[in-house]
Amino acid sequence: MVKMKILITGITGRIGANLAAALVERGHQVRGLVWARDRRVEKLEGLGVELLEGSLTEMGDVQQAVDSMEVVYHLGAAFQGGGPFTEEEYFEINVRGIFNMLEAARAQKIAQFIFASSDALYDKYIPGGMTAPITEETPRRARGAYALTKALGEEMCSGYWLGHALPTTVLRFAMVMGGE
């Protein structure tokens, strides 16, 4: 297997910390961007990951984090850790943040950019419950600042794929449980 240099934003979260452990176990070199408002790094101790403190809203921090990386898992977002958040913070962190990440990834010629979206894009809690499972054809109905920023992030990933040939993958997480 080819060993890769991988950046994880949101490395202190449930998904990020477990992803880091799995990637390190497979021999990859992992770097994490740690936000000052969410420094839950204790679960990363002993993994041998490189941690950089910075913010998704600061292009210099993002460029430093992406420098020399081959793959980016962009899991960082205004969601739970470091919150609560205002509408403006959702926009700045989630929308400006993905813009900064995509720009830095494009400049670095990243081999793969993976974006963590959300099932918050769907109407899941409807009277009487859902009548069918969510599929790719299920209409997106982003309600609220968080869901709207995730919808915008997905569109930006698509735009960077179509406009700049940056390989992007969007994952819509649902009901994430802790690895332990």
Side-chain angles (χ1 to χ4, degrees), residues 23 27 33 48 62-63 82 112 175:
L23 292 172
L33 182 61
V62 168
Q63 289 170 330
Q112 186 65 49
M175 189 67 83

Side-chain angles (χ1 to χ4, degrees), residues 41-119:
V41 296
E42 60 280 349
K43 58 190 136 188
L44 302 167
E45 291 173 5
L47 290 181
V49 299
E50 175 190 2
L51 298 176
L52 298 178
E53 187 168 303
S55 174
L56 296 171
T57 62
E58 298 297 325
M59 182 58 92
D61 293 349
V62 168
Q63 289 170 330
Q64 181 183 7
V66 173
D67 183 51
S68 79
M69 296 289 102
E70 299 168 287
V71 174
V72 170
Y73 283 86
H74 180 46
L75 310 178
F79 179 56
Q80 291 174 337
F85 300 98
T86 65
E87 304 282 312
E88 182 179 358
E89 287 175 312
Y90 276 115
F91 181 85
E92 286 299 317
I93 296 165
N94 294 1
V95 180
R96 183 172 310 284
I98 191 167
F99 170 76
N100 288 345
M101 290 300 302
L102 287 165
E103 277 293 298
R106 179 171 70 98
Q108 183 66 36
K109 297 182 176 32
I110 292 294
Q112 186 65 49
F113 185 94
I114 298 104
F115 172 60
S117 188
S118 171
D119 69 340

